[in-house]
Amino acid sequence: MIRSWSRDIVVLGGGLSGLRAASEAAVQGASVTLLEKQDQIGGSSALSAGMYWTAPDLASYRQRIPHGDQVLATRILAGYEADLAAIRASGVYVDAEATLGVMGFGRGYSFDVKSYLRVLENRLLQSHGEVHTSVRIRSVTPSGTRRFCLETESADGRHEIHTDAIILATGGFQASPEHRAAHMPEAGADLLLRANEGSEGDGLNLAVSLGAALAGDLATFYGHLVPHPVAGFTPDRFMLFSQYYSNHGILVAADGRRICEESRGDEILNQDLAEVDGMTAFLIFDEEVRSTFGVSEPFANFGRVDRFAFAVKGGARHAQAETLEELVQQLGELGVDAAQLTKTLSGDVEVSSLARRVSRSEPPSARQLEKLRKQPFYALEVQPAITFTLGGIAIDDSTAVLSTVGERIEGVYAVGADVGGFSNYGYAGGLAPAHITGTIAGSTAARFVTQARANTAQRLVVAAAKEGQTSC
Ligand SMILES: Cc1cc2nc3c(=O)[nH]c(=O)nc-3n(C[C@H](O)[C@H](O)[C@H](O)COP(=O)(O)OP(=O)(O)OC[C@H]3O[C@@H](n4cnc5c(N)ncnc54)[C@H](O)[C@@H]3O)c2cc1C
């Protein structure tokens, strides 16, 4: 038997953005059901390093992400302080401001993200909201009593939820090889997933089925270089295997040439390598880099680890030698064009022919070679990994989903990594935008359903009056 019930708002996805939106709307008086596809809430948010960060101001945002959505960025940056204060006020641990620029330019604070997710869930439950896990959405159709009818499926059978508003918080489409193949034809379906397994583009599919427009470049994504090959790439090791320091080395393809300018950051190199034939390259660096950036914490409380040693233990192809000449010889034995690599190390900056598809990249500079100074020297084979997609659903600055003709689709909102265009090749954070869009969507949707309720009541009064009855 299909059980049917009615709620003001349904939130799809139980990561930071969904939990923030759901709890905010529930606290403001809306009846809210949060549905999570996996058997537990948390999504990639619960796997993350917990750095709440973004661009310090709009000028730095524009410089870093010239093709980003500036209207959305203005709104997200404006919400940064208030949302940080809200996290602090919840009582969870928030560290002092990070002293080194996050990802080279951002400002941010490490916080206890797992405890905070529990705080938000409790807040939702205490405000009479509900959380259901292991639930699949079968269809979304117009409802006879409210705006939408969601047909869901879970272990206890099929259900219908009638609702006036849906908040899409499903975390992007990186876990779907089909979506990746469609939107990232150069990177292909073979990218290694460095994220939760539930974010398969369900929010995007649903939004498109309701007439939504897409925003940002759907081929761009956030992630980090990881060793190749890599054994035991499990969520607890995602960060240990990430080569955050790659901007201090050079990245060389099998033809012995570099693929791009490495100093722009690991999250950029990661995308560039995804467009190189074979999707692997050797990261070459010196002892100075290995013993400093290669072991240090990218953020406070992150944990120190010798990333080269950890990668070697994980099965990565690698080389280590007292001189660059010996390193070249070892890489030659691993299949790299040794004669060309010698020229590359002497200053030849012609881009690898294997990187002919790389579209947004900057050409290599000779300056970067100056970083190879102190022996011994190291080479680590790396591959790209995807954490979340940067293109996605188009929204306005109230998080309302926009149609292909630029109009709001009434009652549909998108948040977090489902939203496209805030980051776009350049990257300005995941948790802070997820939290801030969640805050905005929770309030906007709560206001919308209050209005929808008032309109329904008004319609009933008018209908009753027409029939000569008094309203109940
Ligand atoms: C290892 C790692 C480290 C990171 N570190 C940082 C960091 O320090 N700072 C930072 O800013 N960002 C970081 N990020 C990125 C950040 O975690 C994400 O940008 C952010 O968590 C996105 O939040 P979200 O709520 O949009 O998605 P998620 O937290 O991924 O939640 C989406 C949820 O939706 C669920 N879902 C999918 N489809 C459906 C459906 N049809 N119905 C119901 N539920 C569905 C998924 O199962 C998932 O639980 C990191 C990510 C990883 C993986």
Side-chain angles (χ1 to χ4, degrees):
M1 194 189 76
I2 293 186
R3 200 163 75 84
S4 179
W5 74 93
S6 183
R7 289 290 178 274
D8 290 333
I9 300 171
V10 173
V11 178
L12 300 183
L16 181 63
S17 65
L19 281 165
R20 177 65 182 170
S23 56
E24 196 65 11
V27 165
Q28 293 184 26
S31 62
V32 182
T33 291
L34 183 146
L35 304 177
E36 166 57 51
K37 170 185 195 171
Q38 297 189 83
D39 60 5
Q40 54 183 356
I41 57 167
S44 290
S45 305
L47 308 178
S48 78
M51 172 56 76
Y52 175 91
W53 78 280
T54 191
D57 49 52
L58 198 59
S60 342
Y61 170 85
R62 271 201 218 108
Q63 197 182 12
R64 188 75 164 202
I65 312 176
H67 304 297
D69 179 336
Q70 290 190 30
V71 174
L72 189 57
T74 304
R75 185 66 188 88
I76 288 173
L77 267 50
Y80 179 86
E81 288 294 347
D83 277 39
L84 175 62
I87 295 172
R88 281 213 172 98
S90 76
V92 302
Y93 175 77
V94 181
D95 203 358
E97 184 167 359
T99 46
L100 298 172
V102 183
M103 299 277 173
F105 83 115
R107 60 189 280 241
Y109 298 79
S110 279
F111 74 110
D112 180 351
V113 63
K114 283 192 183 154
S115 298
Y116 187 62
L117 293 169
R118 279 197 297 277
V119 166
L120 294 179
E121 184 188 12
N122 287 336
R123 200 176 285 169
L124 172 61
L125 298 176
Q126 282 158 12
S127 309
H128 311 292
E130 296 168 340
V131 175
H132 299 282
T133 54
S134 303
V135 180
R136 298 255 157 191
I137 308 297
R138 289 177 56 84
S139 64
V140 178
T141 50
S143 156
T145 52
R146 288 198 157 194
R147 189 169 290 271
F148 304 106
C149 171
L150 277 84
E151 197 189 337
T152 67
E153 188 167 21
S154 54
D156 60 347
R158 287 194 193 171
H159 303 294
E160 277 178 7
I161 314 177
H162 297 266
T163 186
D164 281 324
I166 302 175
I167 300 178
L168 303 170
T170 70
F173 63 81
Q174 59 280 353
S176 159
E178 294 76 24
H179 263 301
R180 291 204 308 263
H183 300 298
M184 308 171 159
E186 307 303 349
D190 301 330
L191 273 176
L192 191 62
L193 183 66
R194 181 186 177 271
N196 88 84
E197 292 182 354
S199 295
E200 298 172 295
D202 297 352
L204 187 82
N205 296 344
L206 204 152
V208 167
S209 76
L210 296 171
L214 302 180
D217 182 344
L218 275 78
T220 65
F221 62 95
Y222 168 64
H224 286 282
L225 293 174
V226 300
H228 180 271
V230 58
F233 191 62
T234 47
D236 54 321
R237 294 181 189 158
F238 284 168
M239 289 184 282
L240 299 172
F241 277 127
S242 301
Q243 305 302 311
Y244 298 97
Y245 61 94
S246 65
N247 59 322
H248 298 289
I250 64 161
L251 199 56
V252 174
D255 64 0
R257 293 189 188 278
R258 289 162 64 192
I259 64 167
C260 60
E261 169 57 22
E262 298 87 355
S263 61
R264 291 163 310 143
D266 191 62
E267 73 285 5
I268 297 291
L269 302 191
N270 185 55
Q271 293 175 76
D272 288 352
L273 184 54
E275 295 191 355
V276 168
D277 286 345
M279 290 207 294
T280 61
F282 278 95
L283 178 66
I284 299 178
F285 50 96
D286 76 353
E287 173 59 16
E288 179 68 25
V289 170
R290 191 208 59 79
S291 62
T292 55
F293 305 110
V295 297
S296 62
E297 307 174 300
F299 314 137
N301 306 317
F302 191 93
R304 284 169 68 86
V305 62
D306 182 335
R307 294 181 185 279
F308 178 73
F310 194 80
V312 169
K313 230 169 127 187
R317 297 209 306 163
H318 65 282
Q320 178 176 341
E322 286 305 309
T323 65
L324 281 171
E325 291 72 30
E326 284 172 47
L327 194 82
V328 168
Q329 192 188 335
Q330 288 185 31
L331 286 176
E333 286 159 16
L334 290 173
V336 177
D337 181 333
Q340 177 53 49
L341 179 54
T342 302
K343 287 188 204 157
T344 298
L345 292 172
S346 316
D348 179 352
V349 290
E350 195 175 314
V351 178
S352 165
S353 62
L354 298 166
R356 62 185 178 278
R357 294 171 306 167
V358 174
S359 43
R360 298 163 295 252
S361 173
E362 261 176 44
S365 71
R367 206 178 46 247
Q368 189 74 357
L369 292 166
E370 293 165 16
K371 295 181 177 169
L372 299 174
R373 283 185 302 236
K374 186 174 173 190
Q375 62 190 57
F377 299 97
Y378 303 88
L380 178 69
E381 194 170 32
V382 289
Q383 61 181 316
I386 185 167
T387 299
F388 72 95
T389 41
L390 303 182
I393 303 166
I395 60 167
D396 68 8
D397 64 359
S398 77
T399 71
V401 171
L402 295 173
S403 73
T404 47
V405 290
E407 288 169 355
R408 288 181 181 177
I409 301 179
E410 293 276 277
V412 188
Y413 306 89
V415 292
D418 273 347
V419 171
F422 171 64
S423 289
N424 195 342
Y425 187 54
Y427 175 57
L431 293 173
H435 194 275
I436 297 163
T437 52
T439 306
I440 300 168
S443 299
T444 313
R447 274 197 306 275
F448 175 77
V449 296
T450 306
Q451 190 60 49
R453 264 200 305 256
N455 291 346
T456 308
Q458 184 64 31
R459 273 202 310 276
L460 291 176
V461 170
V462 171
K466 272 188 185 157
E467 288 173 21
Q469 299 166 355
T470 53
S471 146
C472 50

